[in-house]
Amino acid sequence: MRANRVVDEESVDRSEGFGERLLGLLLDRARQLPPQLIAPLIAEEVGRVGGRDVSILLQDYAQELLVPLPGRKLHVSQPEPVIDSPAGRAFLRGEVIEVPLARGGVRMYLPLLDGSDTVGVMALTLDDVGEDDRRLLRRLAGLVADLLVTKNAYTDQFFLARRREPMSVSAEIQWSLLPPLTMTVPQVAVAGILEPAYSVAGDSFDYALNDNILHMAVIDAMGHGLDAAAMATVAIGAYRHARRVFVSLAEKYTYMDDAISGQFGPDHFVTAQLMHLNVATGELELVNAGHPAPLLIRDGKVVRQLESATTLPVGFGGEEPRIREHTLQQGDRVLCYTDGIIEEHVASGDLFGEERLIRCVNRLGEEPSQGMRADLRRLSHTLKSERGGHTSDDATLFMIEWRGGAADHLAVLE
């Protein structure tokens, strides 16, 4: 027994040493490589552990498909649907999915995680899979995600792979303005989605977690096209500036109001929701400047709107807003949305309306949660289907889930 244990420990040590050398070699070689050679390098390094048919799959902008990144030494197949595919399950759940193959071997789908945001999936085939392989490949996938995020700033290659149809100039601007679409930490999770993905103009959102305060903003600039995109850019820029000089929630509104009115004049405006969430206590501060009221979701059901004092849209020179405070319970979700969701006309000619939105949320809440990203994506596509499959105006969803207080967070560090 003792001898076997020593042999096993030595085997693990050798495996760990090989894994460290492999990851170190990949990192060293990748630093100065041009972006187009990163994917072939990944395929080459995977081959060192016996992997083959390596694919790097990235989510398209409409969040419907996982599309293969082209490149030498990569296995390039057809795009895989986010729903009802092994790659999609790995992507949405952030878990490794293994599929035994009829001809022998195992096809592995590893989520490429940038923090808590899934940037894609790495797929590969091994003849057989042991725990050492799983451990090494999870670490390799983490490094691959970091490389893709870093190199993305230097190339259009990844953007072009993700784009499945022509994109408007305004949409280009909006996508470059966004933070990661999801963030998950022990105390809180957020997720956002924009529609229509390839022609969105005036909608945007932003967030930052600074110590125990989650700062959030959802905006909708009036109009369409470049004018709306320009206003959204100024509004988000002013919001970030105000956030980074540590002003109050009310003062953030004033910063944004001054920027929009000063740049565009009195005939232009931006509706906005600004929020502070204390992730340790669940206390939420809200300013609602001309937006539909957020929905409070508890146990999968909408329980009420989160009301706030009336505040003029940004750009109209309104008075300093009054802050409305709410207290969330553990597990509560807050759904923010722009008016493009409820003001779309359905086949009968009626407005889609808030009641239909609430019914859709409640119906989906009866099904098991698949996580924030998957649940919000499912809601967005359900709403689009309910509206007849089209969106004539920008339609944005942004969801927050408060998961617990300081004790839960500290437990992770112990």
Side-chain angles (χ1 to χ4, degrees):
M1 180 72 72
R2 173 65 179 172
N4 288 340
R5 182 178 176 183
V6 170
V7 170
D8 289 343
E9 289 176 351
E10 290 177 351
S11 176
V12 170
D13 289 341
R14 287 197 298 271
S15 175
E16 289 287 338
F18 173 75
E20 289 177 3
R21 289 195 299 274
L22 176 66
L23 298 178
L25 179 62
L26 175 60
L27 185 59
D28 290 341
R29 295 180 65 188
R31 280 199 181 102
Q32 296 187 8
L33 277 184
Q36 69 271 18
L37 295 184
I38 290 298
L41 174 61
I42 293 167
E44 180 180 324
E45 297 305 319
V46 169
R48 294 176 183 269
V49 295
R52 61 184 185 276
D53 297 336
V54 180
S55 296
I56 305 295
L57 304 169
L58 304 178
Q59 179 182 229
D60 77 315
Y61 282 95
Q63 300 193 29
E64 296 174 347
L65 298 171
L66 291 166
V67 295
L69 186 67
R72 186 169 52 87
K73 297 185 179 180
L74 288 178
H75 176 68
V76 180
S77 58
Q78 294 298 313
E80 299 200 31
V82 173
I83 295 297
D84 295 331
S85 74
R89 291 196 296 275
F91 181 83
L92 292 173
R93 299 177 187 174
E95 301 173 356
V96 179
I97 302 296
E98 300 180 13
V99 180
L101 301 177
R103 63 181 183 276
V106 178
R107 188 71 172 163
M108 298 188 67
Y109 299 87
L110 298 107
L112 301 175
L113 296 170
D114 174 35
S116 58
D117 187 30
T118 311
V119 300
V121 173
M122 180 171 68
L124 56 98
T125 299
L126 290 173
D127 289 332
D128 54 74
V129 184
E131 285 305 312
D132 291 340
D133 300 311
R134 294 184 178 95
R135 186 183 305 110
L136 175 59
L137 289 171
R138 282 195 298 268
R139 293 173 178 174
L140 178 60
L143 180 55
V144 169
D146 290 342
L147 292 174
L148 292 176
V149 171
T150 301
K151 297 297 183 179
N152 182 57
Y154 306 111
T155 184
D156 292 325
Q157 180 185 8
F158 307 145
F159 169 85
L160 293 173
R162 296 179 60 199
R163 188 180 67 183
R164 305 296 293 168
E165 60 184 80
M167 183 175 284
S168 68
V169 175
S170 60
E172 294 260 15
I173 293 171
Q174 290 302 81
W175 280 104
S176 67
L177 196 64
L178 289 174
L181 296 182
T182 59
M183 179 192 73
T184 303
V185 296
Q187 294 162 300
V188 70
V190 301
I193 189 168
L194 297 182
E195 288 284 354
Y198 294 97
S199 58
V200 65
D203 281 13
S204 192
F205 60 83
D206 196 38
Y207 64 85
L209 180 59
N210 297 328
D211 294 325
N212 276 342
I213 303 299
L214 178 66
H215 305 252
M216 298 160 286
V218 179
I219 68 164
D220 181 3
M222 65 165 284
H224 302 277
L226 283 175
D227 194 36
M231 275 194 292
T233 301
V234 172
I236 291 294
Y239 169 75
R240 287 175 176 166
H241 172 70
R243 188 181 72 213
R244 291 164 182 168
V245 296
F246 306 106
V247 300
S248 69
L249 196 61
E251 290 173 307
K252 288 177 181 176
Y253 169 87
T254 302
Y255 268 70
M256 296 169 68
D257 187 76
D258 289 344
I260 295 298
S261 61
Q263 183 66 31
F264 298 99
D267 296 330
H268 292 70
F269 66 89
V270 176
T271 64
Q273 284 173 347
L274 309 177
M275 288 169 278
H276 285 170
L277 174 62
N278 188 317
V279 299
T281 65
E283 295 173 352
L284 177 72
E285 295 181 335
L286 170 65
V287 167
N288 197 338
H291 237 53
L295 301 177
L296 176 62
I297 303 169
R298 183 169 293 156
D299 298 325
K301 302 293 183 182
V302 176
V303 294
R304 67 175 185 273
Q305 293 180 326
L306 294 181
E307 299 292 349
S308 60
T310 302
T311 302
L312 289 175
V314 170
F316 280 163
E319 297 179 356
E320 182 175 300
R322 288 177 293 168
I323 308 299
R324 182 65 184 268
E325 296 182 354
H326 301 273
T327 301
L328 303 183
Q329 295 181 15
Q330 190 169 5
D332 279 354
R333 289 179 171 182
V334 176
L335 177 65
C336 305
Y337 59 95
T338 58
D339 60 12
I341 295 286
I342 58 174
E343 293 183 358
E344 186 68 66
H345 288 82
V346 295
S348 64
D350 297 331
L351 289 177
F352 186 81
E354 187 177 85
E355 289 186 5
R356 281 191 178 91
L357 168 61
I358 292 174
R359 285 200 299 269
C360 287
V361 172
N362 290 343
R363 187 171 70 245
L364 292 177
E366 295 173 356
E367 303 173 14
S369 173
Q370 299 178 20
M372 279 281 289
R373 173 199 285 269
D375 290 352
L376 190 67
R377 179 198 173 279
R378 187 173 46 159
L379 175 61
S380 176
H381 286 265
T382 296
L383 293 173
K384 186 175 180 180
S385 176
E386 291 279 330
R387 297 193 306 267
H390 61 86
T391 301
S392 60
D393 190 13
D394 295 349
T396 294
L397 297 170
F398 184 78
M399 186 179 285
I400 311 115
E401 180 182 85
W402 185 58
R403 296 182 166 184
D408 300 309
H409 180 61
L410 292 175
V412 176
L413 302 179
E414 293 176 352

